[in-house]
Coordinates of all heavy atoms in Angstrom, one line a residue:
M1 N 0.4 10.5 -15.7 CA 1.8 10.2 -15.1 C 1.8 8.7 -14.5 O 0.8 8.3 -13.9 CB 2.0 11.3 -14.0 CG 3.2 11.0 -13.2 SD 3.6 12.1 -11.8 CE 3.8 13.6 -12.7
K2 N 2.9 8.2 -14.6 CA 3.1 6.8 -14.2 C 3.8 6.9 -12.7 O 4.6 7.7 -12.4 CB 3.9 6.0 -15.1 CG 3.4 5.7 -16.4 CD 4.3 4.8 -17.2 CE 3.7 4.5 -18.5 NZ 4.6 3.7 -19.3
A3 N 3.4 6.0 -11.9 CA 4.0 6.0 -10.6 C 5.5 5.7 -10.7 O 6.3 6.3 -10.0 CB 3.3 4.8 -9.7
S4 N 5.9 5.0 -11.6 CA 7.4 4.7 -11.7 C 8.2 5.9 -12.1 O 9.5 5.9 -12.0 CB 7.6 3.6 -12.8 OG 7.2 4.1 -14.0
E5 N 7.6 7.0 -12.5 CA 8.2 8.3 -12.8 C 8.3 9.1 -11.5 O 8.9 10.2 -11.6 CB 7.4 9.0 -13.9 CG 7.2 8.3 -15.2 CD 6.3 9.0 -16.1 OE1 5.6 9.9 -15.8 OE2 6.2 8.5 -17.3
C6 N 7.8 8.7 -10.5 CA 7.8 9.4 -9.3 C 8.7 8.8 -8.1 O 9.0 7.6 -8.2 CB 6.3 9.6 -8.7 SG 5.2 10.4 -9.9
K7 N 8.9 9.5 -7.1 CA 9.5 9.1 -5.9 C 8.5 8.8 -4.8 O 7.4 9.5 -4.7 CB 10.6 10.2 -5.3 CG 11.6 10.5 -6.4 CD 12.7 9.5 -6.3 CE 13.9 10.1 -7.3 NZ 14.7 9.1 -7.6
C8 N 8.8 7.8 -4.0 CA 7.9 7.5 -2.8 C 7.7 8.7 -2.0 O 8.7 9.4 -1.6 CB 8.4 6.4 -2.1 SG 7.5 5.8 -0.6
C9 N 6.6 9.0 -1.4 CA 6.3 10.1 -0.6 C 6.8 9.9 0.8 O 6.9 11.0 1.6 CB 4.7 10.4 -0.6 SG 3.7 9.1 0.2
I10 N 7.1 8.7 1.2 CA 7.5 8.4 2.5 C 9.3 8.3 2.5 O 9.8 9.0 3.3 CB 7.1 7.1 3.0 CG1 5.5 7.0 3.0 CG2 7.6 6.8 4.5 CD1 4.9 8.0 4.0
C11 N 9.7 7.6 1.7 CA 11.2 7.3 1.8 C 12.0 7.9 0.6 O 13.2 7.9 0.7 CB 11.5 5.8 2.0 SG 11.1 4.9 0.4
G12 N 11.3 8.3 -0.5 CA 12.0 8.8 -1.5 C 12.6 7.9 -2.7 O 13.1 8.2 -3.7
K13 N 12.3 6.4 -2.5 CA 12.7 5.5 -3.5 C 11.7 5.6 -4.6 O 10.7 6.2 -4.6 CB 12.6 4.1 -2.8 CG 13.7 3.8 -1.7 CD 13.6 2.4 -1.3 CE 14.6 2.2 -0.1 NZ 14.4 0.9 0.5
Q14 N 12.1 4.8 -5.7 CA 11.2 4.8 -6.8 C 9.8 4.2 -6.5 O 9.7 3.2 -5.9 CB 11.8 4.0 -8.0 CG 11.0 4.0 -9.3 CD 11.7 3.2 -10.4 OE1 12.7 2.6 -10.3 NE2 11.0 3.3 -11.6
A15 N 8.8 4.9 -6.9 CA 7.5 4.5 -6.6 C 7.0 3.3 -7.5 O 7.4 3.3 -8.6 CB 6.4 5.7 -6.7
V16 N 6.1 2.6 -7.0 CA 5.4 1.5 -7.8 C 3.9 1.8 -8.0 O 3.3 1.1 -8.9 CB 5.7 0.1 -7.2 CG1 7.1 -0.2 -7.2 CG2 5.2 0.0 -5.9
A17 N 3.3 2.5 -7.2 CA 1.8 2.7 -7.3 C 1.5 4.0 -6.5 O 2.1 4.5 -5.7 CB 1.1 1.5 -6.6
F18 N 0.3 4.5 -7.0 CA -0.3 5.7 -6.3 C -1.4 5.0 -5.4 O -2.1 4.1 -5.8 CB -1.1 6.5 -7.3 CG -0.1 7.4 -8.2 CD1 0.1 7.0 -9.5 CD2 0.4 8.5 -7.7 CE1 1.0 7.7 -10.2 CE2 1.4 9.3 -8.4 CZ 1.6 8.9 -9.7
W19 N -1.4 5.5 -4.2 CA -2.4 5.0 -3.2 C -2.8 6.1 -2.3 O -2.0 7.0 -2.0 CB -1.7 3.9 -2.4 CG -2.7 3.1 -1.8 CD1 -3.5 2.1 -2.2 CD2 -2.9 3.0 -0.2 NE1 -4.1 1.5 -1.2 CE2 -3.9 2.1 0.0 CE3 -2.3 3.7 0.8 CZ2 -4.2 1.8 1.3 CZ3 -2.7 3.5 2.1 CH2 -3.7 2.4 2.3
P20 N -4.0 6.2 -1.8 CA -5.1 5.3 -2.1 C -5.9 5.7 -3.3 O -5.9 6.9 -3.5 CB -6.0 5.6 -0.8 CG -5.8 7.0 -0.4 CD -4.4 7.2 -0.6
M21 N -6.4 4.8 -4.0 CA -7.1 5.0 -5.2 C -8.7 4.8 -4.8 O -9.2 3.8 -5.3 CB -6.8 4.2 -6.4 CG -5.3 4.5 -6.8 SD -5.0 6.0 -7.4 CE -5.9 5.9 -9.0
I22 N -9.2 5.6 -3.9 CA -10.6 5.4 -3.5 C -11.5 6.3 -4.1 O -12.6 5.9 -4.5 CB -10.6 5.6 -1.9 CG1 -9.6 4.5 -1.2 CG2 -12.0 5.5 -1.4 CD1 -9.4 4.8 0.2
D23 N -11.1 7.5 -4.1 CA -12.2 8.6 -4.6 C -11.3 9.7 -5.4 O -10.3 9.9 -4.8 CB -12.8 9.2 -3.4 CG -13.9 10.2 -3.6 OD1 -13.7 11.0 -4.5 OD2 -14.9 10.1 -3.0
P24 N -11.9 10.3 -6.4 CA -11.2 11.3 -7.1 C -10.9 12.6 -6.3 O -10.0 13.3 -6.4 CB -12.0 11.7 -8.3 CG -13.1 10.6 -8.4 CD -13.1 9.9 -7.1
D25 N -11.6 12.7 -5.2 CA -11.5 13.9 -4.2 C -10.4 13.6 -3.2 O -9.9 14.6 -2.5 CB -12.8 14.2 -3.6 CG -13.9 14.6 -4.5 OD1 -13.5 15.2 -5.6 OD2 -15.1 14.5 -4.2
I26 N -10.0 12.4 -3.0 CA -8.8 12.1 -2.1 C -7.6 11.9 -2.9 O -7.4 11.1 -3.8 CB -9.1 10.8 -1.4 CG1 -10.4 10.9 -0.6 CG2 -7.9 10.4 -0.5 CD1 -10.9 9.6 0.1
P27 N -6.6 12.8 -2.7 CA -5.4 12.8 -3.4 C -4.6 11.5 -3.2 O -4.4 11.1 -2.1 CB -4.6 14.0 -3.1 CG -5.2 14.3 -1.7 CD -6.5 13.8 -1.6
A28 N -4.1 10.9 -4.3 CA -3.4 9.7 -4.1 C -1.9 10.1 -4.3 O -1.5 10.9 -5.1 CB -3.7 8.7 -5.3
E29 N -1.1 9.4 -3.4 CA 0.4 9.7 -3.3 C 1.2 8.6 -3.9 O 0.8 7.4 -3.8 CB 0.7 10.0 -1.8 CG 0.0 11.2 -1.2 CD 0.5 12.5 -1.8 OE1 1.7 12.5 -2.3 OE2 -0.3 13.5 -1.7
P30 N 2.3 8.8 -4.4 CA 3.2 7.7 -4.9 C 3.8 7.0 -3.7 O 4.3 7.7 -2.9 CB 4.2 8.4 -5.8 CG 4.2 9.8 -5.4 CD 3.0 10.1 -4.7
Y31 N 3.9 5.6 -3.8 CA 4.5 4.8 -2.8 C 5.5 3.8 -3.4 O 5.2 3.2 -4.4 CB 3.5 4.1 -1.9 CG 2.7 4.9 -1.0 CD1 1.6 5.6 -1.5 CD2 3.1 5.0 0.3 CE1 1.0 6.4 -0.5 CE2 2.4 5.7 1.3 CZ 1.4 6.5 0.8 OH 0.6 7.2 1.8
C32 N 6.6 3.5 -2.8 CA 7.4 2.3 -3.1 C 6.6 1.0 -2.6 O 5.8 1.1 -1.8 CB 8.8 2.4 -2.6 SG 9.0 2.2 -0.8
R33 N 7.1 -0.2 -2.9 CA 6.4 -1.4 -2.5 C 6.4 -1.5 -1.0 O 5.4 -1.8 -0.4 CB 7.1 -2.6 -3.2 CG 6.5 -3.9 -2.8 CD 5.1 -4.2 -2.9 NE 4.7 -3.9 -4.4 CZ 3.5 -3.6 -4.7 NH1 2.5 -3.6 -3.8 NH2 3.1 -3.4 -6.0
K34 N 7.5 -1.3 -0.4 CA 7.7 -1.5 1.1 C 6.8 -0.5 1.8 O 6.0 -0.9 2.7 CB 9.1 -1.3 1.5 CG 9.4 -1.4 3.0 CD 10.7 -1.2 3.4 CE 10.9 -1.3 4.9 NZ 11.7 -0.5 5.5
C35 N 6.8 0.8 1.5 CA 5.9 1.7 2.1 C 4.4 1.6 1.8 O 3.6 1.7 2.7 CB 6.4 3.1 1.8 SG 8.0 3.6 2.4
L36 N 4.2 1.1 0.6 CA 2.8 0.8 0.3 C 2.2 -0.4 1.2 O 1.1 -0.2 1.7 CB 2.6 0.5 -1.2 CG 1.3 0.1 -1.8 CD1 0.3 1.2 -1.6 CD2 1.4 -0.4 -3.2
N37 N 3.0 -1.4 1.3 CA 2.6 -2.5 2.1 C 2.4 -2.1 3.5 O 1.4 -2.5 4.2 CB 3.6 -3.7 2.0 CG 3.6 -4.4 0.8 OD1 2.7 -4.3 0.0 ND2 4.6 -5.1 0.5
E38 N 3.2 -1.3 4.2 CA 3.1 -0.8 5.5 C 1.8 0.1 5.6 O 1.2 0.0 6.6 CB 4.4 0.0 5.9 CG 5.6 -0.9 6.0 CD 6.9 -0.2 6.3 OE1 6.8 1.1 6.5 OE2 7.9 -0.8 6.3
A39 N 1.5 0.9 4.6 CA 0.3 1.7 4.7 C -0.9 0.9 4.6 O -1.8 1.2 5.4 CB 0.4 2.7 3.4
K40 N -0.9 -0.2 3.8 CA -2.0 -1.1 3.7 C -2.2 -1.8 5.0 O -3.4 -2.0 5.6 CB -1.9 -2.1 2.6 CG -2.1 -1.5 1.2 CD -1.8 -2.6 0.2 CE -1.9 -2.0 -1.2 NZ -1.8 -3.1 -2.2
I41 N -1.2 -2.2 5.6 CA -1.3 -2.9 6.9 C -1.9 -2.0 8.0 O -2.7 -2.4 8.8 CB 0.2 -3.4 7.4 CG1 0.6 -4.6 6.6 CG2 0.2 -3.7 8.9 CD1 2.1 -4.9 6.7
Q42 N -1.5 -0.7 8.0 CA -2.0 0.2 9.0 C -3.5 0.4 8.8 O -4.2 0.4 9.8 CB -1.3 1.6 8.9 CG 0.1 1.5 9.4 CD 0.1 1.1 10.9 OE1 -0.6 1.7 11.7 NE2 1.1 0.3 11.3
V43 N -4.0 0.5 7.5 CA -5.4 0.7 7.2 C -6.1 -0.6 7.7 O -7.2 -0.4 8.2 CB -5.6 0.9 5.7 CG1 -7.1 0.7 5.3 CG2 -5.1 2.2 5.4
L44 N -5.7 -1.8 7.4 CA -6.3 -3.0 7.9 C -6.5 -3.1 9.3 O -7.5 -3.4 10.0 CB -5.6 -4.1 7.4 CG -5.9 -4.5 5.8 CD1 -4.9 -5.6 5.4 CD2 -7.2 -4.9 5.6
M45 N -5.4 -2.6 10.0 CA -5.4 -2.6 11.5 C -6.3 -1.7 12.0 O -7.1 -2.0 13.1 CB -4.0 -2.4 12.0 CG -3.0 -3.5 11.8 SD -1.3 -3.2 12.2 CE -1.3 -2.4 13.7
N46 N -6.4 -0.4 11.5 CA -7.3 0.6 12.0 C -8.8 0.4 11.7 O -9.6 0.7 12.5 CB -6.9 2.0 11.5 CG -5.5 2.3 12.1 OD1 -5.1 2.0 13.1 ND2 -4.8 3.2 11.4
C47 N -9.0 0.0 10.5 CA -10.4 -0.2 10.1 C -11.1 -1.5 10.5 O -12.3 -1.5 10.8 CB -10.5 -0.2 8.5 SG -10.1 1.6 7.8
F48 N -10.3 -2.6 10.6 CA -10.9 -3.8 10.8 C -10.5 -4.4 12.1 O -10.9 -5.6 12.4 CB -10.7 -4.8 9.6 CG -11.2 -4.3 8.3 CD1 -10.4 -3.8 7.3 CD2 -12.6 -4.2 8.0 CE1 -10.9 -3.3 6.1 CE2 -13.1 -3.7 6.9 CZ -12.3 -3.2 5.9
G49 N -9.7 -3.8 12.8 CA -9.2 -4.3 14.1 C -8.4 -5.6 14.0 O -8.3 -6.5 14.9
K50 N -7.7 -5.7 12.9 CA -6.9 -6.9 12.7 C -5.6 -6.6 13.4 O -5.0 -5.5 13.7 CB -6.4 -7.0 11.2 CG -7.7 -7.4 10.3 CD -8.1 -8.8 10.5 CE -9.3 -9.1 9.6 NZ -9.9 -10.4 9.9
S51 N -4.9 -7.7 13.9 CA -3.6 -7.7 14.5 C -2.6 -7.4 13.4 O -2.9 -7.6 12.2 CB -3.2 -8.9 15.2 OG -3.0 -10.0 14.2
E52 N -1.4 -6.9 13.8 CA -0.3 -6.7 12.7 C 0.0 -7.8 12.0 O 0.2 -7.8 10.7 CB 0.8 -6.0 13.4 CG 1.8 -5.5 12.4 CD 3.0 -4.7 13.0 OE1 3.0 -4.5 14.2 OE2 3.9 -4.4 12.2
K53 N 0.0 -9.0 12.6 CA 0.4 -10.3 11.9 C -0.7 -10.5 10.9 O -0.3 -11.0 9.8 CB 0.6 -11.3 12.9 CG 1.0 -12.7 12.4 CD 1.2 -13.7 13.4 CE 1.6 -15.0 12.7 NZ 1.9 -16.1 13.7
E54 N -2.0 -10.5 11.3 CA -3.0 -10.9 10.3 C -3.1 -10.0 9.2 O -3.3 -10.3 8.0 CB -4.5 -10.8 11.0 CG -4.7 -11.9 12.1 CD -5.9 -11.6 12.8 OE1 -6.1 -10.5 13.3 OE2 -6.7 -12.6 12.9
A55 N -2.9 -8.7 9.5 CA -2.9 -7.7 8.3 C -1.7 -7.9 7.4 O -1.9 -7.8 6.2 CB -2.8 -6.2 8.9
E56 N -0.5 -8.2 7.9 CA 0.7 -8.4 7.2 C 0.5 -9.7 6.3 O 0.8 -9.7 5.1 CB 1.9 -8.6 8.0 CG 3.2 -8.7 7.3 CD 4.3 -8.8 8.2 OE1 4.3 -8.3 9.3 OE2 5.4 -9.3 7.7
Q57 N -0.2 -10.7 6.8 CA -0.4 -12.0 6.1 C -1.4 -11.7 5.0 O -1.2 -12.1 3.8 CB -1.0 -13.0 6.9 CG 0.1 -13.7 8.0 CD -0.7 -14.5 8.9 OE1 -1.9 -14.5 9.1 NE2 0.2 -15.5 9.5
F58 N -2.4 -10.8 5.2 CA -3.4 -10.5 4.1 C -2.7 -9.7 3.0 O -2.9 -10.0 1.8 CB -4.5 -9.8 4.7 CG -5.6 -9.5 3.8 CD1 -6.5 -10.6 3.3 CD2 -5.8 -8.3 3.2 CE1 -7.5 -10.4 2.4 CE2 -6.8 -8.0 2.3 CZ -7.6 -9.0 1.9
V59 N -1.9 -8.8 3.3 CA -1.3 -8.0 2.3 C -0.3 -8.8 1.5 O -0.2 -8.7 0.3 CB -0.6 -6.8 2.9 CG1 0.4 -6.1 2.0 CG2 -1.5 -5.8 3.5
N60 N 0.5 -9.8 2.2 CA 1.3 -10.6 1.4 C 0.6 -11.5 0.5 O 1.0 -11.8 -0.6 CB 2.2 -11.4 2.5 CG 3.2 -10.7 3.1 OD1 3.6 -9.6 2.6 ND2 3.6 -11.1 4.3
F61 N -0.6 -12.0 0.9 CA -1.5 -12.8 0.1 C -1.9 -12.1 -1.1 O -1.8 -12.5 -2.2 CB -2.7 -13.3 0.9 CG -3.7 -14.0 0.0 CD1 -3.5 -15.3 -0.4 CD2 -4.9 -13.3 -0.4 CE1 -4.5 -15.9 -1.2 CE2 -5.8 -13.8 -1.2 CZ -5.6 -15.3 -1.5
L62 N -2.3 -10.8 -0.9 CA -2.7 -10.0 -2.1 C -1.5 -9.7 -3.1 O -1.8 -9.7 -4.2 CB -3.2 -8.7 -1.6 CG -4.6 -8.7 -0.9 CD1 -5.1 -7.3 -0.3 CD2 -5.7 -9.3 -1.7
N63 N -0.4 -9.5 -2.5 CA 0.8 -9.3 -3.4 C 1.1 -10.4 -4.3 O 1.4 -10.4 -5.4 CB 2.0 -8.9 -2.6 CG 2.0 -7.5 -2.0 OD1 1.2 -6.7 -2.4 ND2 2.7 -7.2 -0.9
K64 N 0.9 -11.7 -3.7 CA 1.2 -12.9 -4.5 C 0.2 -13.0 -5.6 O 0.4 -13.6 -6.7 CB 1.1 -14.1 -3.6 CG 2.4 -14.2 -2.7 CD 2.4 -15.4 -1.7 CE 3.6 -15.4 -0.8 NZ 3.5 -16.4 0.2
Q65 N -1.1 -12.6 -5.3 CA -2.1 -12.8 -6.3 C -1.9 -11.9 -7.5 O -2.4 -12.1 -8.6 CB -3.4 -12.5 -5.6 CG -3.9 -13.5 -4.5 CD -4.0 -14.8 -5.0 OE1 -4.7 -15.1 -6.0 NE2 -3.4 -15.8 -4.3
T66 N -1.4 -10.7 -7.3 CA -1.2 -9.8 -8.4 C 0.1 -9.9 -9.1 O 0.4 -9.1 -10.0 CB -1.2 -8.4 -7.8 OG1 -0.2 -8.1 -6.8 CG2 -2.6 -8.1 -7.3
Q67 N 1.0 -10.9 -8.8 CA 2.3 -11.1 -9.5 C 2.1 -11.9 -10.7 O 1.3 -12.6 -10.9 CB 3.3 -11.8 -8.6 CG 3.7 -10.8 -7.4 CD 4.8 -11.5 -6.5 OE1 5.0 -12.7 -6.6 NE2 5.5 -10.7 -5.7

C-alpha cells in the first residue's frame, strides 16, 4: 500500500508518508506533509531537548535535501 492511497491519521488530508518507520513491531501511520513535519518536530524536541525553532529548522533542512 502506498501512503498516497491513505488519509492522514491526524487531519484526514491525503497522506505523503508512513511514519515512524523505525521497527516492524511499531505500527507506522499515514501522515500528510504538515502533520508529518509537526510530528518530527515533537520527536526532536522530546528526544534531544531542542527548542521548537531549532527542531523546525532541522526538519525544514531535511525536507529541502529530499526534494
Side-chain angles (χ1 to χ4, degrees):
M1 176 182 290
K2 295 180 181 180
S4 60
E5 298 171 353
C6 301
K7 302 274 185 198
C8 176
C9 65
I10 304 294
C11 69
K13 292 181 183 175
Q14 184 177 6
V16 296
F18 288 102
W19 195 75
M21 297 294 290
I22 298 169
D23 185 317
D25 295 330
I26 299 172
E29 300 289 336
Y31 285 84
C32 70
R33 175 58 55 199
K34 181 181 179 217
C35 294
L36 178 61
N37 287 344
E38 290 173 7
K40 288 179 180 180
I41 288 168
Q42 288 300 318
V43 167
L44 287 169
M45 288 171 44
N46 293 335
C47 292
F48 301 107
K50 297 288 185 185
S51 69
E52 185 171 356
K53 183 178 180 180
E54 289 174 313
E56 187 174 335
Q57 288 173 339
F58 185 71
V59 169
N60 289 337
F61 171 77
L62 290 178
N63 287 340
K64 288 178 185 175
Q65 296 299 313
T66 58
Q67 289 180 350

